[in-house]
Amino acid sequence: MKKIIYIDMDNVLVDFKTGIEKLDKNIIDEYDGRLDEVPSIFSLMEPYPNAIDSVHKLSKKYDLYILSTAPWLNPSAWIHKIEWVHKHFGKEKDSLFYKRLIISHNKNLNTGEYLIDDRPNNGAKDFKGEWIHFGSQDFPDWETVTEYLLQKV
Ligand SMILES: [Mg+2]
């Protein structure tokens, strides 16, 4: 049986800043410190560099799920997250993340071997498997993460 990897969205699969860059200056000022609450912000974001390729490689050896948090005060973000997955991975039955998007504020409750996440928040640091700290010195990018995980199989 394949081992399970959970993958965070913001600043792991999704390049958050590419969405910010498309916003008007007055919106950026208005939502300063809570940019994840800007309506439709998620639909503007591009994939993180090499994320799509890497995920396809990993899917051959692992069972993959997206494990993301959506802002409590930005309901449209919940919609835009699934739309983002549809757009970049497809929505068909044989698509990579078909019915594999989990939205949670308690990531520690999910059972599996690995969690790729850039922050300790929302239960990531208490995940029972191994937390792969994306963006850290050990795992600065998708290349290092993919190489590490493929040699673990
Ligand atoms: Mg994140």
Side-chain angles (χ1 to χ4, degrees):
M1 216 168 76
K2 287 178 176 173
K3 290 183 173 173
I4 291 176
I5 303 176
Y6 297 102
I7 306 171
D8 177 38
M9 283 183 84
D10 302 336
N11 290 321
V12 176
L13 270 186
V14 179
D15 196 347
F16 202 85
K17 71 170 175 358
T18 59
I20 312 285
E21 284 162 4
K22 291 176 192 163
L23 294 176
D24 287 339
K25 170 96 174 67
N26 56 332
I27 298 278
I28 293 179
D29 291 344
E30 184 184 339
Y31 286 88
D32 186 36
R34 51 186 188 102
L35 283 164
D36 61 355
E37 292 176 20
V38 174
S40 74
I41 178 85
F42 287 94
S43 58
L44 303 173
M45 296 176 188
E46 304 294 333
Y48 205 91
N50 290 310
I52 306 272
D53 262 16
S54 302
V55 160
H56 281 283
K57 272 184 206 156
L58 289 172
S59 72
K60 298 193 169 50
K61 304 285 180 186
Y62 288 97
D63 219 0
L64 306 183
Y65 291 82
I66 295 173
L67 181 53
S68 180
T69 305
W72 195 246
L73 297 177
N74 185 359
S76 74
W78 295 62
I79 297 169
H80 288 125
K81 288 211 170 196
I82 190 164
E83 286 179 350
W84 194 94
V85 174
H86 287 171
K87 180 177 173 187
H88 294 282
F89 292 98
K91 56 178 144 185
E92 300 72 24
K93 227 172 179 168
D94 61 351
S95 61
L96 209 152
F97 287 116
Y98 180 74
K99 297 191 175 176
R100 284 165 178 259
L101 168 61
I102 301 164
I103 304 282
S104 172
H105 288 77
N106 303 277
K107 296 182 179 181
N108 53 307
L109 297 180
N110 278 77
T111 306
E113 280 75 19
Y114 300 99
L115 167 65
I116 306 171
D117 205 311
D118 64 312
R119 298 193 309 161
N121 307 38
N122 298 305
K125 72 167 170 24
D126 299 318
F127 179 69
K128 305 287 188 303
E130 181 179 346
W131 169 31
I132 294 182
H133 189 175
F134 192 85
S136 66
Q137 207 163 11
D138 288 342
F139 301 106
D141 50 31
W142 269 106
E143 286 84 346
T144 48
V145 170
T146 307
E147 192 183 341
Y148 175 75
L149 286 168
L150 289 180
Q151 54 89 22
K152 285 280 208 176
V153 183

